[in-house]
Amino acid sequence: MSLNKTELVAKVAAETGQSQAAVSAVLDGLFNAVAETVAAGGKVTIPGWVSFDSIETAARTGRNPQTGEAINIPAGKRVKVTAGSKLKAAVK
């Protein structure tokens, strides 16, 4: 089973009694706030559910899988998403 944004908005709207437009605006605001905070080097945590963090990666040597040629991968930033205890328990 998979849930895209439109289906998520419809499901949350049905469960909360809010309009789909209101739920969509809240989700957009949530995602924008997470993106801005993580891009600025901050961390967003929803206790028990999920946390988003920015991590630094070191420069390293990789391999082109088609040719086997060594390539240099520069240092950079990545997003780290960690599942919380409530989310992990729901999956079990």
Side-chain angles (χ1 to χ4, degrees):
M1 183 174 141
S2 180
L3 201 64
N4 65 28
K5 183 183 176 195
T6 303
E7 295 165 340
L8 176 63
V9 166
K11 187 170 184 163
V12 171
E15 289 183 14
T16 62
Q18 299 295 316
S19 71
Q20 288 189 15
V23 172
S24 182
V26 169
L27 283 178
D28 288 341
L30 171 69
F31 294 138
N32 287 336
V34 168
E36 287 175 8
T37 303
V38 172
K43 182 176 182 176
V44 176
T45 302
I46 302 171
W49 291 104
V50 67
S51 68
F52 304 91
D53 199 4
S54 174
I55 60 170
E56 298 279 335
T57 59
R60 61 193 187 279
T61 302
R63 295 225 173 262
N64 180 332
Q66 292 181 338
T67 64
E69 177 186 357
I71 56 173
N72 292 323
I73 301 171
K77 291 184 177 182
R78 305 289 185 261
V79 176
K80 178 181 174 184
V81 180
T82 307
S85 59
K86 290 179 184 177
L87 183 57
K88 289 178 183 178
V91 173
K92 286 187 178 182

